Amino acid sequence: MNLSASDLVDQAVEQLAPMVGTSASSLRAAADAFDAYAAKAPSAMHERIAAVVGEECRNAADCVQVRRAFLQGFRS
């Protein structure tokens, strides 16, 4: 079975979403785990993929914090 690039990314997102969660702390923990793996990855491709996923987890965590701060300011 050959997957298209889109199918592969969709499958990766489906598998990652439950693992990383939606809270800022769980996203940061996932980012740290991917960064640690990237540091000892068996190949350059593994390292790069882990680094990209880690960075995306950090970006998502930052977005969660910004949203939370905005909503708290809005409610005040």
Side-chain angles (χ1 to χ4, degrees), residues 4-74:
S4 68
S6 175
D7 291 338
L8 184 58
V9 170
D10 287 346
Q11 190 175 38
V13 169
E14 271 183 44
Q15 302 252 335
L16 284 169
M19 182 188 106
V20 300
T22 57
S23 71
S25 61
S26 67
L27 287 161
R28 288 199 192 286
D32 291 343
F34 280 104
D35 290 346
Y37 176 74
K40 61 181 175 90
S43 73
M45 182 178 280
H46 284 86
E47 177 184 357
R48 184 67 189 133
I49 291 170
V52 167
V53 172
E55 183 64 25
E56 288 303 313
C57 288
R58 274 192 213 302
N59 291 341
D62 291 345
C63 288
V64 168
Q65 287 184 316
V66 167
R67 256 191 316 257
R68 183 175 295 127
F70 174 77
L71 289 174
Q72 286 175 348
F74 185 70

